[in-house]
Amino acid sequence: MPGFDAYDHLNISLNPDGTLNRLLKIPTLPATPDVLTPDQPTVSKDVTLDADKKTSLRIFRPTKLPSNDTSVTKLPIIIYVHGGGFIDFSPATAMVHDHCSKMAVEIPAVLVSVNYRLAPESRLPAQYEDAVDAILWVKKQAELGGEGDEWLRDYGDFSRCNLYGASNGANIVFHAALRAMDHNLEPMKITGLILNQPMFSGNKRTRSELKFATDQFLPLPAIDLYWHLSLPPGTDRDHRYSNPMADGPHREKIKSLGRCLVVGFGGDPMLDKQQAFVQMLILEGVQVEARFDNVGFHGIDLIDARRAAALLTFIKEFV
């Protein structure tokens, strides 16, 4: 794509010290820990995860439960990792906040949204480490029992924890799930992974990458720039972080993953990699539910209400 400036397309500029100027001012929303109106569907609050790393969690819960007896009706816990190409967004980003709030009501569930470190200031595997920290934080709340976070204690079912990631967040969820196997997570239990349009790549161009190289929303040079800014220095797109189909120490663990829901769309440049990923999971004996729509593009669920509703239905059935 001669003359195409991926930095300009993504509204970013790189400083000499390697930090990033994020020029697009995206609306953010504060947490709402108190019920202010009778018809308020959810409440949310921010919790520090690691003060040194400046990571945190935003927790959402519905204000109305299916039953008044919380000892009988506990909600699944979903640890959510947002998209943004590793370089942008947070749980406070308006569309991320709204998505988590809607999930908390419609599934219903307790949502734990992870505010992880961003690239290039913090490159992979920092984001995987932050997601594992979030998993271990939930485990700690389960261990603390009556002394743990009151929302998870009173409303969450620690035996039904799911990891959910969108785009690069799905990449983070996959790698964090593998890393979490090095820890004893009891008494919490991860019962499933939800991978919405997972972000994977490789050095060899796939058919879908070439076909949708000039995609209006996510052109191939922009995807390449995301990887350039997030992968460890000196590595390329065949690193296991971006290409899990490559050989590496992670492959032995894949067979031990639990159930996986993978969602994708036919107009996504990363479609072929997503489907190769599903095939790899199946060959390793992982129980996979693949939901691929022939029509649609990467991130369509963020702007298409019908696709967003369908995604919520898939998740509700899965958890």
Side-chain angles (χ1 to χ4, degrees):
M1 298 173 63
F4 182 85
D5 188 332
Y7 283 94
D8 183 64
H9 179 80
L10 296 176
N11 287 287
I12 58 175
S13 64
L14 193 62
N15 296 314
D17 64 356
T19 60
L20 207 62
N21 292 318
R22 297 164 177 86
L23 305 174
L24 186 62
K25 302 305 178 186
I26 304 171
T28 60
L29 294 172
T32 54
D34 300 313
V35 178
L36 302 178
T37 62
D39 59 347
Q40 184 176 327
T42 62
V43 286
S44 58
K45 64 179 178 180
D46 293 327
V47 175
T48 298
L49 182 58
D50 188 312
D52 293 334
K53 296 177 182 177
K54 297 181 180 179
T55 57
S56 60
L57 307 169
R58 179 164 289 188
I59 306 174
F60 299 77
R61 69 165 177 85
T63 55
K64 296 181 177 64
L65 291 175
S67 167
N68 291 326
D69 185 354
T70 57
S71 66
V72 175
T73 307
K74 289 291 187 84
L75 303 178
I77 297 171
I78 297 178
I79 300 173
Y80 177 71
V81 185
H82 65 79
F86 296 105
I87 69 169
D88 217 343
F89 304 160
S90 78
T93 301
M95 62 183 177
V96 177
H97 177 100
D98 288 343
H99 181 52
C100 289
S101 181
K102 195 165 189 177
M103 280 196 292
V105 174
E106 297 197 12
I107 290 177
V110 176
L111 264 290
V112 180
S113 185
V114 185
N115 186 27
Y116 56 84
R117 289 169 288 174
L118 298 178
E121 293 86 354
S122 298
R123 290 178 175 265
L124 293 168
Q127 293 74 19
Y128 305 154
E129 295 166 359
D130 296 345
V132 172
D133 284 350
I135 294 169
L136 295 178
W137 182 87
V138 173
K139 162 191 159 67
K140 183 177 180 180
Q141 307 317 304
E143 290 176 331
L144 289 172
E147 300 299 319
D149 179 87
E150 65 273 19
W151 286 10
L152 270 71
R153 177 194 68 205
D154 294 343
Y155 303 103
D157 184 347
F158 291 102
S159 69
R160 288 193 296 157
C161 293
N162 291 264
L163 308 182
Y164 170 26
S167 189
N168 71 281
N171 175 298
I172 295 172
V173 158
F174 168 70
H175 285 283
L178 297 180
R179 287 168 172 254
M181 292 178 190
D182 296 333
H183 301 270
N184 177 8
L185 298 182
E186 293 180 358
M188 75 172 288
K189 182 178 181 182
I190 297 174
T191 55
L193 274 59
I194 303 162
L195 307 172
N196 178 17
Q197 304 162 75
M199 182 175 174
F200 297 124
S201 188
N203 287 339
K204 185 178 180 181
R205 297 300 189 193
T206 66
R207 187 177 303 175
S208 62
E209 286 177 331
L210 296 174
K211 182 177 180 180
F212 302 111
T214 59
D215 180 78
Q216 184 176 1
F217 174 63
L218 195 61
L220 193 54
I223 298 174
D224 289 350
L225 181 55
Y226 281 141
W227 289 118
H228 175 70
L229 294 172
S230 58
L231 284 168
T235 63
D236 58 29
R237 293 190 306 275
D238 270 341
H239 192 283
R240 65 183 183 277
Y241 294 165
S242 54
N243 185 7
M245 282 68 74
D247 288 334
H250 66 294
R251 291 295 297 259
E252 185 62 29
K253 292 181 175 181
I254 291 175
K255 62 174 63 71
S256 299
L257 287 174
R259 300 162 54 242
C260 292
L261 169 65
V262 184
V263 178
F265 295 95
D268 188 340
M270 293 178 280
L271 174 68
D272 287 350
K273 277 295 181 183
Q274 293 162 0
Q275 293 184 334
F277 173 73
V278 168
Q279 292 172 357
M280 176 190 68
L281 294 180
I282 293 172
L283 288 174
E284 294 291 349
V286 178
Q287 183 182 344
V288 183
E289 182 178 339
R291 299 274 192 161
F292 285 91
D293 192 323
N294 291 332
V295 179
F297 49 84
H298 192 87
I300 189 173
D301 53 300
L302 298 176
I303 60 174
D304 185 322
R306 184 174 65 85
R307 303 302 176 88
L311 176 63
L312 281 174
T313 298
F314 296 158
I315 296 170
K316 183 174 183 177
E317 293 172 350
F318 182 78
V319 301

